Amino acid sequence: MTQLIHDTFTDAKLNYEIVVVDDNSPDKTLNVAQSLQSIFGKDHIKIVSRAAKLGLGSAYSAGLKVSSGQRIILMDADLSHHPKFIPEMIAVMDSTTKKVDIVSGTRYSRGGGVAGWDTYRKLTSCGANFLAKFLLATGGASDLTGSFRLYERYALEQILPQVKQKGYAFQMEIIVRAHKSGMKIGDVPITFVDRIYGESKLGANEIVMYLKGLLQLFFTT
């Protein structure tokens, strides 16, 4: 993944830095990050090492604090999100036709999709996205549960302190809060590829947590 990001930004003649937040992961994420840092340099790889798992929102905030860019890309590092879509996301944000504060990589507009999911996973994801769009004010965003997004720095700094949900509802709340704050959201079709290694965390508990989060946002936003 790091090499793909490096090649993508180098070809586009753009500067970049990668921030890795490790919460004492047993899979030796820290060791891998340190090896990558020795290869690509500390100017390209920044590491935040924490003693225990403190949650996704906390990890985003920790990474944001050590980052220096005025635009922030959040993406999965398991090759589910391919860096090749990043230049198009940047182009949408750079457009003078419609100023946007967030660009979301979407699986649910023309040209987008998923690869490697079974029917159950597809139905669950589509159903969760449909319910969120039906019940919440989202500013026309087409993919509310995806995490591959480009943010203006000020957008993240303003929204993250407001977000209370966890799990899949976390990404949904970011979009809801952004829209409520008057921010504009664009999107770029992407193909989401299921992870090659490891297993999805989607199970009954995650679905229940999502539905609870959805209802909380419905009644409070």
Side-chain angles (χ1 to χ4, degrees):
M1 173 62 85
T2 305
Q3 187 65 55
L4 289 173
I5 292 174
H6 175 79
D7 292 345
T8 298
F9 277 83
T10 299
D11 291 346
K13 295 180 173 58
L14 295 170
N15 295 323
Y16 75 92
E17 64 184 7
I18 299 172
V19 179
V20 180
V21 181
D22 175 64
D23 286 350
N24 198 24
S25 175
D27 63 4
K28 298 184 179 180
T29 296
L30 179 59
N31 293 342
V32 173
Q34 290 171 335
S35 296
L36 291 172
Q37 191 179 63
S38 68
I39 296 171
F40 292 94
K42 291 184 178 181
D43 55 332
H44 286 311
I45 309 290
K46 294 184 177 181
I47 301 172
V48 178
S49 180
R50 308 193 297 180
K53 189 171 183 178
L54 300 174
L56 182 61
S58 173
Y60 280 4
S61 296
L64 185 62
K65 287 179 180 178
V66 303
S67 66
S68 61
Q70 293 307 305
R71 289 178 175 176
I72 310 294
I73 297 169
L74 300 179
M75 62 189 299
D76 294 348
D78 59 4
L79 297 177
S80 294
H81 297 150
H82 200 290
K84 68 182 180 181
F85 299 108
I86 293 175
E88 188 174 354
M89 297 168 80
I90 293 173
V92 170
M93 188 166 278
D94 282 341
S95 174
T96 57
T97 303
K98 178 185 177 183
K99 171 60 181 172
V100 297
D101 307 286
I102 301 171
V103 180
S104 180
T106 176
R107 300 159 290 181
Y108 300 116
S109 66
R110 183 183 296 274
V114 298
W117 279 3
D118 57 22
T119 301
Y120 168 76
R121 183 69 189 273
K122 289 179 180 179
L123 289 175
T124 302
S125 180
C126 289
N129 205 61
F130 172 79
L131 279 175
K133 290 173 66 177
F134 180 74
L135 293 175
L136 305 174
T138 60
S142 60
D143 193 336
L144 304 178
T145 56
S147 59
F148 191 9
R149 294 175 184 159
L150 169 64
Y151 297 86
E152 293 282 11
R153 185 185 189 90
Y154 62 76
L156 267 184
E157 290 177 335
Q158 179 178 334
I159 296 168
L160 278 182
Q162 304 176 41
V163 178
K164 307 301 181 186
Q165 300 299 324
K166 298 180 180 180
Y168 292 95
F170 178 88
Q171 303 295 347
M172 173 177 63
E173 185 176 2
I174 288 180
I175 294 297
V176 172
R177 298 290 181 190
H179 175 63
K180 188 176 181 179
S181 298
M183 296 180 186
K184 303 301 182 183
I185 303 161
D187 58 29
V188 166
I190 66 164
T191 299
F192 177 93
V193 180
D194 197 19
R195 62 181 62 184
I196 299 173
Y197 302 103
E199 297 181 357
S200 169
K201 299 177 182 177
L202 180 63
N205 289 338
E206 284 72 26
I207 293 174
V208 170
M209 185 184 299
Y210 174 82
L211 292 174
K212 285 181 177 180
L214 179 60
L215 290 176
Q216 286 175 355
L217 289 172
F218 175 72
F219 286 114
T220 60
T221 60

